[in-house]
Amino acid sequence: VEQGLAAALADVAQASASPVRIVCPHPLPALPEGVLATGYFFACEAIGNAAKHAPGAPITVLLATDSHLRVSVVDAGPGGARLVPGRGLAGMRERLAAFGGEVTISSPSGGPTQVAASVPLLLRRGEPGFVV
């Protein structure tokens, strides 16, 4: 919360076995702690998965907001990641769904792999940040 999401993930990037680049083209607005924590833990898990399954492959994390916090983690590994019930990526999807978030995965054979999260911005527990 004090450093901001991009700075916190830069610390994670420095500790990673794989090269990780954090990209945040526009400053993120002040985000509720729950949204920040969800984005942070998603990115950490996705970076860890990429480093495990595509060792040494460059990883890029893109952060952006609109009505949602968007976190995209892309690795230049061999691709082929898929959702398997009860396993890593399916678990990530289930955890984000608990917050009204979504996970999308693109991982063609030959790569790259992109795992992206969309977390709704919340003002108060259960209240969307943008009213339609």
Side-chain angles (χ1 to χ4, degrees), residues 15-130:
S16 176
S18 294
V20 179
R21 183 171 67 120
I22 308 298
V23 178
C24 188
H26 304 286
L28 299 178
L31 298 170
E33 287 182 25
V35 173
L36 284 171
T38 301
Y40 175 81
F41 288 114
F42 169 83
C44 288
E45 186 172 357
I47 290 167
N49 286 347
K52 177 181 176 183
H53 297 288
I59 300 167
T60 301
V61 179
L62 174 65
L63 304 171
T65 57
D66 49 23
S67 62
H68 290 69
L69 171 62
R70 312 260 179 204
V71 181
S72 173
V73 180
V74 178
D75 71 68
R82 62 186 197 282
L83 284 171
V84 177
R87 303 291 300 251
L89 292 173
M92 291 173 79
R93 179 176 272 179
E94 290 168 10
R95 286 189 290 284
L96 259 72
F99 295 96
E102 296 179 350
V103 173
T104 57
I105 300 158
S106 173
S107 187
S109 182
T113 294
Q114 178 190 39
V115 180
S118 173
V119 182
L121 302 182
L122 303 175
L123 298 176
R124 288 184 290 264
R125 188 173 301 242
E127 181 177 296
F130 290 86

